[in-house]
Amino acid sequence: MTVTPTTMTATPTIDVETRGLTKIFAARHGTARITALENVSLAIRRGEFVSIVGASGCGKTTFLRILAGLETEYEGSITLDGLRIDGPGPDKGVVFQDHRLLPWLTVGENIGFGLLDLPKTEQRERIRKYLRLVGLQGFERAWPAQLSGGMAQRAAIARALVSKPRILLLDEPLGALDALTRVYMQRELEKIWTREKITMVMVTHDVEEALYLSDTVVLMSARPGRIKKITPVHLARPRDRENPVFQNLKKELLVEFGLRAKSLFSYEI
Ligand SMILES: Nc1ncnc2c1ncn2[C@@H]1O[C@H](COP(=O)(O)OP(=O)(O)OP(=O)(O)O)[C@@H](O)[C@H]1O
Ligand SMILES: [Mg+2]
């Protein structure tokens, strides 16, 4: 078991709830202690797509690692479906910026790595289902080195989804891709989210990507990492990046970052 009950009164539509989440990294080898997160309180609805944006070092990865159960020392509380998160597990899928596929296993074996307890036929069915979902049908026997960057990230998403997690956590999943592939993959990610109806929390540096994909954009400020602004995005999907409302939201968020509007079209923090 990776979770233990703390409350029976959680609102059913809330999937993840953090209250007063504070993470302090202790001083070590002469470095000062760092308050990576301070008093972060956030409620994420079931099936919601939430993006976390903010400058480098503001605690985005730390927040995701706590959600993933990879970081278990913190103050405050964090629950998934009303149960305290206290370790990693199949209920939480994680995708990192680099795909982290094992090079000595085929794409299919990489995706099926967490399914070894299941009967062989079920393993195969699930692997095929998720390869199809991410558009990689036919690549089961390929090696990771034979995939492009975008394909490798799709395989990583399939691997994270194959254990049918309740929540998918993505840390800059498209950060290493070229601009065109990135835009294409944003659309693919949206399709996967729509089909799987899963709660997704994605860290990104890219405000436009966050606005394109998210129901809610959470902007964080650095040192200490705090929530600075929560922006609900009520635009129909798939979103039109040229829509004036979209453009205005983008401008507002960039201004919060301290960027000037004239840098709108060539921006990456
Ligand atoms: N294991 C660790 N030990 C000590 N300090 C850490 C550790 N991990 C992160 N930190 C510090 O916590 C702060 C937040 O780091 P984090 O990696 O969460 O930032 P981030 O927002 O993901 O940054 P980036 O956008 O560059 O990935 C930073 O100041 C970092 O130096
Ligand atoms: Mg990070």
Side-chain angles (χ1 to χ4, degrees):
M1 274 295 275
T2 58
V3 289
T4 49
T6 52
T7 170
M8 301 302 285
T9 56
T11 315
T13 54
I14 298 297
D15 221 7
V16 177
E17 188 162 31
T18 76
R19 284 198 199 157
L21 194 63
T22 297
K23 171 68 190 175
I24 298 169
F25 287 105
R28 222 182 285 150
H29 308 303
T31 60
R33 64 185 219 146
I34 292 167
T35 306
L37 296 172
E38 190 176 77
N39 200 19
V40 172
S41 297
L42 187 66
I44 299 174
R45 294 187 308 275
R46 189 167 300 173
E48 189 174 4
F49 197 122
V50 175
S51 285
I52 314 285
V53 296
S56 189
C58 72
K60 303 182 295 296
T61 294
T62 304
F63 181 65
L64 219 63
R65 284 177 54 79
I66 293 174
L67 282 183
L70 296 167
E71 188 72 64
T72 49
E73 281 179 28
Y74 53 82
E75 292 159 38
S77 76
I78 176 154
T79 56
L80 175 58
D81 198 23
L83 303 173
R84 203 175 106 82
I85 296 175
D86 62 4
D91 53 342
K92 300 176 281 292
V94 188
V95 177
F96 300 94
Q97 182 170 0
D98 50 335
H99 56 72
R100 301 193 188 186
L101 298 171
L102 300 171
W104 57 88
L105 296 181
T106 64
V107 170
E109 287 165 346
N110 264 286
I111 292 173
F113 197 68
L115 304 177
L116 297 177
D117 291 343
L118 295 178
K120 277 262 179 288
T121 46
E122 197 178 337
Q123 285 182 35
R124 264 197 303 275
E125 268 169 35
R126 282 239 215 143
I127 291 167
R128 296 224 171 107
K129 176 183 167 196
Y130 283 92
L131 276 171
R132 255 197 324 275
L133 180 80
V134 299
L136 280 183
Q137 55 272 41
F139 284 89
E140 193 172 340
R141 292 179 189 200
W143 298 100
Q146 296 173 306
L147 303 182
S148 69
M151 290 160 84
Q153 270 318 52
R154 287 161 194 251
I157 292 169
R159 182 185 50 188
L161 288 173
V162 79
S163 55
K164 300 189 178 165
R166 186 180 177 85
I167 179 168
L168 185 64
L169 306 164
L170 307 118
D171 194 354
E172 303 199 41
L174 312 181
L177 304 178
D178 66 85
L180 279 181
T181 311
R182 187 168 183 154
V183 167
Y184 176 73
M185 283 294 293
Q186 287 166 3
R187 181 80 186 100
E188 292 297 295
L189 197 54
E190 182 176 43
K191 284 187 196 158
I192 292 167
W193 172 72
T194 308
R195 278 185 216 141
E196 290 292 285
K197 298 181 175 58
I198 188 176
T199 309
M200 288 199 188
V201 183
M202 179 181 74
V203 164
T204 178
H205 276 96
D206 187 333
V207 166
E208 185 175 304
E209 179 168 286
L211 286 171
Y212 181 78
L213 282 166
S214 314
D215 298 311
T216 307
V217 179
V218 178
L219 175 67
M220 291 186 53
S221 60
R223 289 185 195 85
R226 290 191 187 133
I227 294 181
K228 190 171 181 192
K229 187 178 169 78
I230 295 182
T231 306
V233 189
H234 298 297
L235 295 165
R237 297 169 182 272
R239 291 185 175 144
D240 173 9
R241 295 164 207 259
E242 305 304 318
N243 177 319
V245 179
F246 187 102
Q247 289 288 329
N248 269 336
L249 285 173
K250 181 173 168 184
K251 198 163 147 187
E252 273 172 31
L253 278 167
L254 291 177
V255 169
E256 290 284 348
F257 264 113
L259 296 181
R260 298 176 74 86
K262 69 180 179 188
S263 59
L264 250 179
F265 298 104
S266 58
Y267 130 91
E268 169 99 335
I269 295 166

